[in-house]
Amino acid sequence: MRPPKLTLVGAGPGDPGLITLKGIEALRTADVVLYDALANPALLDHAPQHARKIFVGKRKDLHSATQEEINTLITSLAFKYGHVVRLKGGDPFLMGRGGEEIEVARAMGIETEYIPGVSSALAVPGLAGIPVTHRDVSKSVWILSGTSSSGGVTEDLKLAARSSATVVILMGVSTLQEIVSIYTSEGKAGLPVAIIQNGSTESQRSVSGRMSNIIDLSAKAQIAAPAVIVIGDVVRFLDPSTKEATHSENKNQLR
Amino acid sequence: MRPPKLTLVGAGPGDPGLITLKGIEALRTADVVLYDALANPALLDHAPQHARKIFVGKRKDLHSATQEEINTLITSLAFKYGHVVRLKGGDPFLMGRGGEEIEVARAMGIETEYIPGVSSALAVPGLAGIPVTHRDVSKSVWILSGTSSSGGVTEDLKLAARSSATVVILMGVSTLQEIVSIYTSEGKAGLPVAIIQNGSTESQRSVSGRMSNIIDLSAKAQIAAPAVIVIGDVVRFLDPSTKEATHSENKNQLR
C-alpha cells in the first residue's frame, strides 16, 4: 500500500502542451486522477493504465460533484489507493478552490503537494494576441471571478473599473451585462474589451470591441463559457480599431 | 538558411521542472537562445549544442543589455541564424516587455510565437504555502510591479491598498518602504504581508508578518531581489500568527 498523498496539478489553459514537466511526472505516479471540466482529458494519457480516472467537473444541466463531495473523494481515495492527483484547469490556487482541498487533506494527515500551472488569466489573452501588461499601456493586471458565491459580480469589480489595471475576468460570460453596466456607470463605455472562448485550444474564438457594443457582439458570435474577458487598452494589440478613441478617453480617465 | 522566427518562451518561476512541454519543444529547435537573469540556465540544456546561448539579463553593478539592444539582437540574430528563442522568467507578457519584443520583430517581417509560462506572481506564493485566492478570504488578485519606469511605485498601488484583492508585487523589494507607507496611510498597518525570495528554487527563503513590522523582519532576514511580495489575508495560510488581528481589522477595511 502506498502512503496517502494529494498532488494538486495545474493543467494549464487547455492546450495539452502547456502542462509543466513536473505536472507530467506527478501524473505518471498517480493511482487516481480527479479531473476538472477545464483540464484537457488528453493529459490523462500521462497517467498509468491502472490509475483510476474520475471526472469531477461542473457541467451545465448535469449532476456534478459538489466541492464537499470532491473533498471527501480526495481523502477516501488517498487512503484507499495512495497517490491522488487533482488535475485542475489553469493554476490550482487561482479561483480553483485548491486551497480548500489542501486544507481538508492536511487535516486528515495526508501529505500534500502543489504543482503550479499556466494560468488561463494570463495565457489566454496572450495567445489571442493581447499582452496583459505593456510598458506604454498597462503596468498591472487584476484578475477577478465574474461570479461571486452570492450570485452577481464581486464588489471589487467597481474598484477595478476605476483603476488603470488590465482587468481579466474568469467565469464572467453569464454576468457580462452586469460587468458592462459597472463600467458604463464609471464613464468607461468606450473602453476596449475582448472575450476569448476556449482559449489555447483549436476551437478558440474571440470577439472584441468596446463596453458599448460587446454585449451585441458576443451575442452575435454566440460566445459561451468557458471564456476569459479582458478589459483595457491592451486589447488594441488584438484589435487596432479600438485604439484611437481609447486614447483620448484615457486622458480623461487619468485626468 | 532557416526562415527568421522569434519564439517568446515563459521559463516559469525558477524551478526547471516548471517549464511547459511546448517551451521545451521550442528550445529543441532553437538556433539562438537569449535568456534572462530570471530564467534558470539549466533550461539551456534543452537547446541543441550548436545553438548560441546569450545572456541578456539585468544584473546589478554589471553592464546589462538595454531593451533596445535586446530588440536589435533579436532581429539581427533571427535574420542571421533563424530561430531565436527568447527565454524569459515567469510569463513573457507579465511585466516582461515581451509585447515590445513581439512588436519589433513583427515590424521587421519576422514570424513570432508566444509560449506562455508559469507566472511567479501566482506560483511563488503558492509554493510558499499561500494560495493567492481562497473562497473564504480573497476572491481576486492584483499583480503590480514595485518599480515604475519613473522610479517609485505605480499610482495603482494606492487603489490596490484600498481593495480587498490579494496584492502581489513583483520587483518590489527596493520600494518596500514606499509600499508600507501607502498601506499605513490607508489604515492597514496590521495587514499580513509575506516576501519570498528565490521562490520555487532550492534557495527559497521567506519572511512574513504585518505591514507594521515587515521592514524590520526583511532587513533582519536580509531578503533581497528577486523576490515576490504578497499582501493580504491569504498570508495567514503560511503564517497562522497573522490570522486573528487581521480578521477584526478586515471588518473595518470592508466598509
Side-chain angles (χ1 to χ4, degrees), chain A residues 181-199:
Chain A
S181 95
I182 287 172
Y183 275 84
T184 306
S185 66
E186 287 293 331
K188 294 195 175 178
L191 199 66
V193 49
I195 309 180
I196 305 137
Q197 179 181 347
N198 294 325

Side-chain angles (χ1 to χ4, degrees), chain B residues 188-202:
Chain B
K188 294 193 175 178
L191 199 66
V193 50
I195 310 180
I196 306 136
Q197 178 181 348
N198 294 326
S200 91
T201 71
E202 282 166 20

Side-chain angles (χ1 to χ4, degrees), chain B residues 36-60:
Chain B
D36 263 6
L38 293 174
N40 192 321
L43 294 172
L44 299 173
D45 296 343
H46 295 294
Q49 277 220 304
H50 81 264
R52 280 156 187 80
K53 289 115 186 168
I54 303 170
F55 177 75
V56 292
K58 293 171 184 75
R59 271 184 192 152
K60 237 189 200 170

Side-chain angles (χ1 to χ4, degrees), chain A residues 17-41:
Chain A
L18 292 178
I19 193 171
T20 64
L21 291 186
K22 280 202 153 175
I24 288 170
E25 278 166 36
L27 282 167
R28 284 195 184 133
T29 60
D31 297 303
V32 180
V33 184
L34 297 176
Y35 64 104
D36 263 6
L38 293 174
N40 192 320

Side-chain angles (χ1 to χ4, degrees), chain B residues 23-175:
Chain B
I24 288 170
E25 278 167 36
L27 282 168
R28 284 194 184 133
T29 61
D31 297 304
V32 180
V33 184
L34 297 176
Y35 65 104
D36 263 6
L38 293 174
N40 192 321
L43 294 172
L44 299 173
D45 296 343
H46 295 294
Q49 277 220 304
H50 81 264
R52 280 156 187 80
K53 289 115 186 168
I54 303 170
F55 177 75
V56 292
K58 293 171 184 75
R59 271 184 192 152
K60 237 189 200 170
D61 306 327
L62 285 175
H63 169 76
S64 51
T66 65
Q67 190 61 45
E68 289 63 36
E69 286 167 344
I70 295 171
N71 294 347
T72 307
L73 266 179
I74 288 172
T75 305
S76 59
L77 294 169
F79 281 114
K80 192 161 178 192
Y81 299 110
H83 187 195
V84 174
V85 168
R86 181 71 176 94
L87 188 65
K88 297 168 87 79
D91 182 85
F93 281 160
L94 186 71
M95 321 289 173
R97 306 192 67 172
E100 288 167 70
E101 294 174 6
I102 290 256
E103 278 181 289
V104 168
R106 277 196 198 150
M108 300 295 290
I110 296 170
E111 184 195 341
T112 63
E113 187 180 356
Y114 155 71
I115 298 177
V118 169
S119 170
S120 312
L122 307 174
V124 167
L127 290 164
I130 305 170
V132 286
T133 65
H134 189 290
R135 187 179 166 83
D136 303 326
V137 182
S138 169
K139 292 180 176 69
S140 73
V141 54
W142 194 347
I143 305 164
L144 302 101
S145 167
T147 9
S148 73
S149 42
S150 55
V153 301
T154 59
E155 275 300 304
D156 266 347
L157 190 62
K158 291 173 190 165
L159 215 51
R162 259 174 260 160
S163 78
S164 67
T166 300
V167 171
V168 176
I169 302 177
L170 303 176
M171 298 170 285
V173 172
S174 62
T175 48

